[in-house]
CSV table of all heavy atoms in Angstrom, one decimal:
chain,number,residue,atom,x,y,z
A,293,GLY,N,-14.6,-9.3,-22.0
A,293,GLY,CA,-14.1,-10.6,-22.3
A,293,GLY,C,-12.7,-10.4,-23.1
A,293,GLY,O,-12.1,-11.5,-23.3
A,294,ASP,N,-12.4,-9.3,-23.7
A,294,ASP,CA,-11.3,-9.2,-24.4
A,294,ASP,C,-10.2,-8.4,-23.7
A,294,ASP,O,-10.1,-7.3,-23.7
A,294,ASP,CB,-11.6,-8.4,-25.8
A,294,ASP,CG,-10.4,-8.3,-26.7
A,294,ASP,OD1,-9.3,-8.7,-26.3
A,294,ASP,OD2,-10.6,-7.7,-27.8
A,295,TYR,N,-9.3,-9.3,-23.0
A,295,TYR,CA,-8.3,-8.7,-22.2
A,295,TYR,C,-7.1,-8.1,-23.1
A,295,TYR,O,-6.2,-7.3,-22.7
A,295,TYR,CB,-7.7,-9.7,-21.2
A,295,TYR,CG,-7.0,-10.9,-21.9
A,295,TYR,CD1,-5.7,-10.9,-22.4
A,295,TYR,CD2,-7.7,-12.1,-22.0
A,295,TYR,CE1,-5.2,-12.0,-23.0
A,295,TYR,CE2,-7.3,-13.2,-22.6
A,295,TYR,CZ,-5.9,-13.1,-23.1
A,295,TYR,OH,-5.4,-14.3,-23.7
A,296,SER,N,-7.1,-8.5,-24.4
A,296,SER,CA,-6.0,-8.1,-25.3
A,296,SER,C,-6.1,-6.7,-25.8
A,296,SER,O,-5.1,-6.0,-26.1
A,296,SER,CB,-5.8,-9.1,-26.4
A,296,SER,OG,-6.9,-9.1,-27.2
A,297,SER,N,-7.3,-6.2,-26.1
A,297,SER,CA,-7.4,-4.9,-26.7
A,297,SER,C,-8.3,-3.9,-25.8
A,297,SER,O,-8.2,-2.8,-26.2
A,297,SER,CB,-8.2,-5.1,-28.1
A,297,SER,OG,-9.5,-5.4,-27.9
A,298,ASN,N,-8.8,-4.3,-24.8
A,298,ASN,CA,-9.7,-3.4,-24.0
A,298,ASN,C,-9.4,-3.3,-22.6
A,298,ASN,O,-10.2,-3.1,-21.8
A,298,ASN,CB,-11.2,-3.9,-24.2
A,298,ASN,CG,-12.1,-2.7,-24.0
A,298,ASN,OD1,-11.9,-1.7,-24.4
A,298,ASN,ND2,-13.2,-3.0,-23.3
A,299,GLU,N,-8.1,-3.5,-22.2
A,299,GLU,CA,-7.7,-3.4,-20.8
A,299,GLU,C,-7.0,-2.1,-20.6
A,299,GLU,O,-6.1,-1.8,-21.3
A,299,GLU,CB,-6.8,-4.6,-20.4
A,299,GLU,CG,-6.4,-4.6,-19.0
A,299,GLU,CD,-5.6,-5.9,-18.6
A,299,GLU,OE1,-4.9,-6.3,-19.4
A,299,GLU,OE2,-5.9,-6.3,-17.5
A,300,PRO,N,-7.5,-1.3,-19.7
A,300,PRO,CA,-6.8,-0.1,-19.3
A,300,PRO,C,-5.4,-0.4,-18.8
A,300,PRO,O,-5.2,-1.3,-18.1
A,300,PRO,CB,-7.6,0.6,-18.2
A,300,PRO,CG,-9.0,-0.1,-18.3
A,300,PRO,CD,-8.7,-1.5,-18.8
A,301,THR,N,-4.4,0.4,-19.3
A,301,THR,CA,-3.1,0.2,-19.0
A,301,THR,C,-2.5,1.3,-18.1
A,301,THR,O,-2.8,2.5,-18.4
A,301,THR,CB,-2.2,0.0,-20.3
A,301,THR,OG1,-2.2,1.3,-20.9
A,301,THR,CG2,-2.7,-1.1,-21.1
A,302,MET,N,-1.7,1.0,-17.1
A,302,MET,CA,-1.1,2.0,-16.3
A,302,MET,C,-0.1,2.8,-17.0
A,302,MET,O,0.0,4.0,-17.0
A,302,MET,CB,-0.5,1.4,-15.0
A,302,MET,CG,-1.5,0.8,-14.0
A,302,MET,SD,-0.8,0.3,-12.5
A,302,MET,CE,0.0,-1.2,-13.0
A,303,ASP,N,0.8,2.2,-17.8
A,303,ASP,CA,1.8,2.9,-18.5
A,303,ASP,C,1.2,3.8,-19.6
A,303,ASP,O,1.6,4.9,-19.7
A,303,ASP,CB,2.9,1.9,-19.1
A,303,ASP,CG,2.2,0.9,-20.0
A,303,ASP,OD1,1.1,0.6,-20.0
A,303,ASP,OD2,3.1,0.2,-20.8
A,304,GLY,N,0.3,3.4,-20.3
A,304,GLY,CA,-0.4,4.1,-21.4
A,304,GLY,C,-1.1,5.3,-20.8
A,304,GLY,O,-1.1,6.4,-21.3
A,305,THR,N,-1.8,5.1,-19.7
A,305,THR,CA,-2.6,6.1,-19.0
A,305,THR,C,-1.7,7.2,-18.5
A,305,THR,O,-2.0,8.3,-18.5
A,305,THR,CB,-3.6,5.6,-17.9
A,305,THR,OG1,-4.5,4.5,-18.6
A,305,THR,CG2,-4.3,6.7,-17.2
Side-chain angles (χ1 to χ4, degrees):
D294 182 357
Y295 62 82
S296 66
S297 71
N298 202 42
E299 182 173 37
T301 65
M302 290 187 287
D303 56 343
T305 301

